[in-house]
Amino acid sequence: MIEKYSSCLEKKEEKRERLLPPLENAEEGKVVMRFAPNPNGPPTLGSARGIVINGEYVKMYDGKFILRFDDTDPRTKRPVLEAYDWYIEDTEWLGYEPDEIIYASKRIGIYYKYAKELIELGGAYVCFCKQEEFKKLRDAGIECLHRNKSIEDNLEDWESMLEGKFKEGEAVLRIKTDMKHPDPAIRDWVAFRIIYESHPLVGDSYFVYPTLDFESAIEDKLCETTHILRGKDLADSERRQRYIYTYFGWAYPITKLWGRINVYEFGKLSTSGIKREIEAGKYKGWDDPKLPTVRALRRRGIEAEAIRRFFLSLGIGENEVWVSMKNLYAENRKIIDEKASRYFFIWDPVEVEIEKLPEERKIKLPLSPSGGERFLKGENKVLITRDDFEKFKGQVVRLKDFCNVLLEKKAKFLSFEIGNVKKGRIIHWIPLSEAVPCKVLGEVEAEGFCEKNVGRDVGKVVQFERFAFCKIENANSEVLAIYTHQ
RNA sequence: GCUCCGGUGGUGUAGCCCGGUCAAUCAUACGGGCCUUUCGAGCCCGUGACCCGGGUUCAAAUCCCGGCCGGAGCACCA
C-alpha cells in the first residue's frame, strides 16, 4: 500500500514538474479540501493563492475540491451578491473546477441543530455578559455567571435567542473551552451572535448568525474535509474549533498554515482596502488593470498558468513574504512570449517624410517567434516615436525591415538593404496611411498610433515592440490596449 | 502585556523532521558577454545567503538553550 502510494506520487510529480511537498497522511483519491472565502469582493491575488494551493493539492491526490462561502456576517464583512459568481468564475478560470459549492448562509439552520446538541452535551452556553465585561473576565481567567447554568436553562435561553427575544448584543452562545487557557484568545469564544440585518443572499431568514469558527468547524466535518490549508491569521481557529470536535468526538482535519503574502507593488492585499479606494475614485472598478484582483490580472493578459506557477514557486512557508509582481510577470512572459504577435506602436509620434524614396514597397515583417508574417506599406510618410527622433536626429537609422535613412523631419533615403547599421539603431515605425490611434491603459499608460494589423488580435496579448506586452481590448476606430508588462 | 509561529543571497525558494555527500538548490533581480533587423526572448558567465551567542558532537544551515529581529492572534470580522 505504501509502496503503491509513493510510486504513484513520484509519477505525478514527474508529470507536473512541480514541487509542492507531500501532504501529511494524504491518500490518493481520498483527499477533500476546501477554499473558503467571504465573498465581500472579487478574488484578489491573495485569494488566488488559496485557490491554487488547495486546488493543486486536490489535483495531486485526485481528491475533492469544495468552494465554500463563509458568508455569515451580513454587516461587518457584508458579502457582495455578485461576488459569489466572481469567485466561481475566477476559480474555474484559474483551472480548478469546484466539485461542490457551499453557501454557509443557506445552511445556518443546520448549524442550529449542532449548537443545540452542543448545549445538551454541556459544551456551550448562552452568555448575557456585555462584551467589555466578558473581556475583562476572560483576561483575568474568571468564569462568568452564565457559564454554569443548567443545560435546561441554556436550552431555554437558546430557544429564546432563536425566537428573537433578545436585542443585538444582549446574548451570545459561547463554546465552553477553558477560562484558564494560557492563550486568552481561546477562552470561551463566541459561536453565535444576534445581528438584525438582512443578508444579501438569504435575506431575513436568520438573525442569529454563527461566527466563522463555528460555521467552519461544522462544515469541515459535514464535508469530511481531510486537510485544511489556510493563512496563519487563522492559526487560533484550529485550537478553538478543536473543542467542538472533542465534544462531539470527531477527528480534526490535518491543518497547514501559510504566512501572509505582501506584494511590493501593492502592499498588503485587503479586499476592504481596495473597496475603499474604488469608492474614493482611485480605481475605476474591481477590474481596473492597476489592481491585483484576479479579474484585473486576467483583463490585462496575465495567464492562469502564470499565476499558478507563481504561487507554486512561493511555496507554503509560514513566514510572511514580500514578493514582487516582477516574478509573476516573468512567469507570464515565458508563456506568452512565444505566441504573442509583434506589432509596432508609436507613442508620442513624430511624422517623418522620407525624401527620394525610390518606390513604395510592401514590407514583410515577422509576426511572432512561433512564425507568421504581417505586412506594412513602405511609403514616404512614417511615424516614429519622439524618443527615437530626438536621440538619432542627424544620424543613420534603420526603419526595421524597411530602409535606412538619415534621420531628419525630412529624412534622406539611403538604402533598402540594412548594410552595416548596428543593433540599437534599428527603430520601429508605421506608415502614416496605416496608422490607427491607440491608447494604452494600466500600470503604464501611453497614447499614440499602432499599425492597423493589430485589429486581428482583439482579445489577445500582443507585444508592441520596444514598448511592452499589451492585451488588445478592442480595435474599432481607436485601439484600446491594456498594459500587461514589459 | 499574553499566546503562538517564523528567521537561508536584493527577493522568493530547496535543504532542516532522519546532523557529514551543503565551500548550500532553483527561480527572479542585478552586472558582463554572445546571438537576434525589438531596449523582448534565447544562450553563456558572474555577483550574492545559512540572524547572533553559547552548548551537544569527531562533525551543525540542520539538534538543544538564550538573545535579537519579524509576523500573526488576543472582535458578538473573515
Side-chain angles (χ1 to χ4, degrees), chain A residues 1-14:
Chain A
M1 189 63 196
I2 285 170
E3 271 169 33
K4 190 182 161 193
Y5 156 85
S6 55
S7 74
C8 220
L9 234 189
E10 266 166 32
K11 256 185 240 159
K12 284 260 167 179
E13 263 172 2
E14 268 169 32

Side-chain angles (χ1 to χ4, degrees), chain A residues 125-129 134 144 146 149 154 170-174:
Chain A
Y125 61 97
V126 175
C127 176
F128 297 101
C129 291
F134 187 85
C144 79
H146 318 101
K149 276 182 301 182
N154 275 316
E170 269 182 5
V172 294
L173 186 75
R174 289 188 186 279

Side-chain angles (χ1 to χ4, degrees), chain A residues 345-349 383 430 436-440 446-450 478-479:
Chain A
F345 163 62
I346 308 295
W347 59 97
D348 197 7
L383 298 176
I430 339 181
V436 181
C438 176
K439 194 180 272 181
V440 176
E447 229 169 304
F449 294 87
C450 65
E478 180 183 278
V479 169

Side-chain angles (χ1 to χ4, degrees), chain A residues 405-418:
Chain A
V405 298
L406 180 64
L407 189 60
E408 292 294 348
K409 278 294 279 183
K410 288 189 183 293
K412 191 179 158 197
F413 173 84
L414 297 174
S415 71
F416 284 116
E417 295 71 43
I418 186 163

Side-chain angles (χ1 to χ4, degrees), chain A residues 345-349 384-387 428 446-448 465-467:
Chain A
F345 163 62
I346 308 295
W347 59 97
D348 197 7
I384 66 171
T385 68
R386 186 168 300 281
D387 292 346
H428 60 126
E447 229 169 304
E465 286 194 32
R466 305 208 300 148
F467 181 72

Side-chain angles (χ1 to χ4, degrees), chain A residues 19 94 102 113 119 147 194 199 261 282 306 354 366 413 421 461 482:
Chain A
L19 27 8
L94 282 167
I102 290 173
K113 289 186 199 136
I119 296 168
R147 194 180 205 263
I194 299 164
H199 187 283
I261 170 174
K282 190 175 170 193
I354 304 168
F413 173 84
V421 171
V461 175
I482 308 295

Side-chain angles (χ1 to χ4, degrees), chain A residues 344 354 357 359-365 374-383 399-403 416 429-435 451-453:
Chain A
F344 291 154
I354 304 168
L357 181 69
E359 60 180 30
E360 287 194 351
R361 282 190 174 185
K362 188 179 180 189
I363 306 297
K364 184 168 105 176
L365 297 104
R374 68 191 212 267
F375 298 91
L376 286 179
K377 193 168 162 194
E379 61 186 13
N380 69 344
K381 287 197 174 168
V382 301
L383 298 176
L399 302 178
K400 188 174 183 253
D401 286 310
F402 177 24
C403 66
F416 284 116
W429 56 282
I430 339 181
L432 191 62
S433 66
E434 294 180 347
E451 52 185 281
K452 68 176 188 199
N453 296 324

